[in-house]
Amino acid sequence: MADIKPEEITHPPMDQLQGFEYCIDSNPSWGEAIALGFQHYILALGTAVMIPTLLIQAIGGTDDDKVRVVQTLLFVTGINTLLQTLFGTRLPTVIGGSYAFLVPIISIVHDPSIMNNPDPHERFLQTMRAIQGALIVSSSIQIILGYSQLWGICSRFFSPLGMVPVVALVGFGLFDRGFPVVGRCVEIGVPMLILFIAASQYLKYIHARRVPLLERFALLISITLIWTYAHILTVGGAYRNRPVRTQLNCRTDRANLISSAPWIKIPYPLQWGAPTFDAGHAFGMMAAVLVSLVESTAAYKAAARLASATPPPAHVLSRGIGWQGIGILLDGLFGTGTGSTVSVENVGLLGSTRVGSRRVIQISAGFMIFFSMLGKFGALFASIPFTIFAAVYCVLFGLVAAVGLSFLQFTNMNSMRNLFIVGVSIFLGLSIPQYFFNYSTTAGHGPAHTKAGWFNDFINTVFSSSATVALIVAVFLDNTLEFKEAARDRGMPWWVRFRTFKGDSRNEEFYTLPFNLNRFFPPS
């Protein structure tokens, strides 16, 4: 092979990621699409089970209550996913539960007016109603910013350079849910991590009927094998005399979901009673809604690239945020116990399978709704140890973060200005939330600890989010530091045509509303 000269090596920037067999508007066969949709449903179970597990016992709920909250969260996740893929951004994204809401929710849990209730069940219901009221009120933030097009206007200040730290940290910022959780049960987590990487990458060329079986279904195959292995360890008595923490992370029979789940139960609005409204709770929850907005914006940018689509125009982005606000309103009405955001792990799975089809995600939403009503069957899949999901997150969160770094191709990284902005925003985006986490772990409360609880929740929530800190720092620096002279260096010419719906002919193919609804809602 002849030597290649450096000047002959070219990697031109591409506004659409190549190498996908199925992109946003192309679909695999129905059988393959159903299997892929089920795979996305299994992945969504991790967050749907973990958030209620963290919260329900702390607020006086029982295993029966936890099962109902898990079912409700999955049911509303399915509805919100369908609404987003049909009428929102139309990107193949799962809209699931968000950890960003934990800070204001924990503040509600520790409200003296609720905490002093001696009856655990009444305290649980009182807390759920307070969370519902706060979500209903705070959802107005995204609804207003979305449907008024204000967020679309704001997004026009986002350059490829400014989005690099934000999208990268929506993946990297979740590192604590990766290997630190795998380490809680290494005998399950490490084999899962190795098997998933081997199947999806090293064995991806193994085909069955022209389908790259191991690459396409690596998640399902790996989870099935390791789940079976974990169950053998459980029934074989491997954890019989181990500490409680180890048993909770390793055993397959400690979720207490299957025995508590009803055979058929359909979640319905106001099932916990009438919501209660408190101004302090609502203001604190608004911070989580803003964090969800930022993190979802970054995830939409990543999903567009991993669906081999063009960056969503400002109008489409606003439309998606508006529908996400409707989703948080539904969370409040049904009582999911938390708010909604784009599921980062499901975005990563688009890249792992190289299938960015919208239909696949809509099928997964159907599975969420179906299995949330058939309690026993849904609880069976939800009993998968969370350590298994954490091993998968190590790969999928990293993929999403890498998509953020891929935006560097549109910028001049030989510019000291750009190096400064990217380096400082990524570092602070990781360092500031880590400070807030360490402070909260040591002191039992966040750095903001004044008599105004809503102010504490607002500050502690916003600055605990890596993507939000990165957005504040990167966008501010990018739009104030020599920005007029640096338009080409920061990549604006690449994205300027995606500011409007008609700026690029491909936008109509990817983002037009179904059923000819664009007649009634013409894009700007």
Side-chain angles (χ1 to χ4, degrees):
M1 180 177 178
D3 291 338
I4 300 174
K5 298 179 181 179
E7 59 269 21
E8 295 176 346
I9 301 174
T10 58
H11 301 288
M14 295 183 177
D15 48 28
Q16 281 182 263
L17 191 62
Q18 305 300 305
F20 279 71
E21 187 171 348
Y22 301 103
C23 62
I24 185 172
D25 55 355
S26 61
N27 303 306
S29 65
W30 277 105
E32 192 176 347
I34 290 171
L36 286 165
F38 184 73
Q39 189 167 236
H40 276 276
Y41 158 72
I42 291 293
L43 183 60
L45 282 173
T47 299
V49 173
M50 181 51 62
I51 292 178
T53 300
L54 292 172
L55 291 175
I56 299 307
Q57 189 173 3
I59 61 179
T62 62
D63 287 336
D64 291 345
D65 295 323
K66 182 171 77 172
V67 167
R68 287 185 64 189
V69 174
V70 170
Q71 286 180 281
T72 303
L73 182 53
L74 273 175
F75 183 80
V76 178
T77 295
I79 293 174
N80 287 340
T81 300
L82 282 177
L83 292 175
Q84 190 64 237
T85 54
L86 285 172
F87 309 115
T89 60
R90 306 216 70 216
L91 288 166
T93 51
V94 171
I95 310 298
S98 171
Y99 289 89
F101 291 81
L102 287 182
V103 172
I105 288 174
I106 291 172
S107 180
I108 292 173
V109 171
H110 291 125
D111 188 316
S113 64
I114 298 175
M115 198 174 179
N116 293 333
N117 192 324
D119 187 333
H121 183 65
E122 284 298 320
R123 187 169 72 251
F124 166 76
L125 292 177
Q126 196 175 351
T127 306
M128 292 297 292
R129 292 166 187 167
I131 294 171
Q132 286 181 259
L135 287 172
I136 290 170
V137 173
S138 61
S139 67
S140 61
I141 297 292
Q142 286 194 7
I143 293 173
I144 293 170
L145 288 175
Y147 292 124
S148 69
Q149 293 298 311
L150 282 174
W151 188 243
I153 294 171
C154 293
S155 71
R156 298 183 183 191
F157 293 95
F158 301 163
S159 70
L161 181 75
M163 283 292 100
V164 167
V166 185
V167 180
L169 290 190
V170 85
F172 286 144
L174 300 172
F175 67 89
D176 59 319
R177 283 172 232 159
F179 205 84
V181 180
V182 172
R184 297 175 187 173
C185 188
V186 291
E187 59 267 38
I188 292 175
V190 171
M192 178 66 198
L193 177 59
I194 294 172
L195 183 60
F196 182 63
I197 292 175
S200 64
Q201 301 302 315
Y202 290 96
L203 304 176
K204 64 183 179 182
Y205 299 107
I206 297 177
H207 287 58
R209 296 184 179 180
R210 298 183 181 180
V211 175
L213 195 65
L214 292 180
E215 178 191 47
R216 199 69 50 83
F217 302 105
L219 181 73
L220 272 181
I221 294 169
S222 302
I223 284 182
T224 301
L225 292 175
I226 300 300
W227 189 19
T228 303
Y229 162 64
H231 188 65
I232 291 173
L233 290 179
T234 299
V235 299
Y239 305 111
R240 192 166 296 150
N241 299 314
R242 302 291 294 277
V244 174
R245 180 182 174 86
T246 301
Q247 295 194 35
L248 288 174
N249 287 290
C250 299
R251 293 181 69 100
T252 58
D253 58 356
R254 281 305 176 100
N256 296 327
L257 293 175
I258 299 176
S259 59
S260 302
W263 282 103
I264 298 177
K265 181 73 175 181
I266 301 176
Y268 56 91
L270 308 182
Q271 58 186 328
W272 311 111
T276 58
F277 300 93
D278 179 275
H281 296 165
F283 276 117
M285 196 69 76
M286 285 179 185
V289 171
L290 290 173
V291 168
S292 168
L293 181 150
V294 171
E295 293 178 349
S296 293
T297 299
Y300 287 136
K301 297 280 188 183
R305 194 147 181 81
L306 291 175
S308 196
T310 53
H315 168 81
V316 172
L317 197 59
S318 266
R319 190 174 71 195
I321 292 301
W323 276 105
Q324 193 169 307
I326 297 293
I328 295 174
L329 177 63
L330 292 176
D331 289 327
L333 290 174
F334 278 84
T336 60
T338 187
S340 295
T341 192
V342 176
S343 172
V344 178
E345 55 267 34
N346 287 90
V347 173
L349 189 58
L350 300 177
S352 176
T353 60
R354 292 196 296 156
V355 175
S357 169
R358 182 190 298 123
R359 177 183 290 174
V360 167
I361 299 300
Q362 291 170 340
I363 291 173
S364 76
F367 277 118
M368 293 172 200
I369 295 171
F370 179 75
F371 283 116
S372 67
M373 294 187 291
L374 295 181
K376 293 290 185 186
F377 293 100
L380 172 64
F381 300 120
S383 65
I384 300 170
F386 189 72
T387 307
I388 292 178
F389 291 108
V392 177
Y393 293 166
C394 293
V395 176
L396 302 185
F397 290 161
L399 267 175
V400 174
V403 170
L405 298 179
S406 75
F407 293 151
L408 290 172
Q409 67 183 302
F410 305 117
T411 69
N412 176 17
M413 289 314 290
N414 290 313
S415 161
M416 277 306 303
R417 171 195 182 271
N418 290 0
L419 291 172
F420 176 85
I421 292 172
V422 171
V424 170
S425 54
I426 288 180
F427 185 86
L428 291 179
L430 289 171
S431 188
I432 291 176
Q434 187 64 35
Y435 163 73
F436 272 70
F437 174 78
N438 291 341
Y439 192 105
S440 300
T441 302
T442 303
H445 56 76
H449 188 59
T450 68
K451 293 183 179 180
W454 63 270
F455 175 80
N456 302 336
D457 292 343
F458 199 94
I459 297 298
N460 293 331
T461 300
V462 168
F463 289 99
S464 294
S465 166
S466 293
T468 307
V469 173
L471 180 92
I472 294 170
V473 176
V475 173
F476 175 79
L477 292 175
D478 191 36
N479 286 278
T480 57
L481 193 62
E482 304 171 4
F483 71 99
K484 289 185 178 179
E485 298 82 6
R488 181 178 296 180
D489 286 351
R490 57 203 283 251
M492 289 304 284
W494 280 97
W495 278 10
V496 69
R497 63 184 181 276
F498 300 113
R499 288 181 176 180
T500 60
F501 189 81
K502 297 181 180 179
D504 190 282
S505 59
R506 292 167 291 180
N507 290 339
E508 185 175 357
E509 175 188 356
F510 297 139
Y511 300 114
T512 297
L513 291 171
F515 316 123
N516 207 18
L517 289 174
N518 277 63
R519 292 182 304 167
F520 307 104
F521 306 100
S524 57

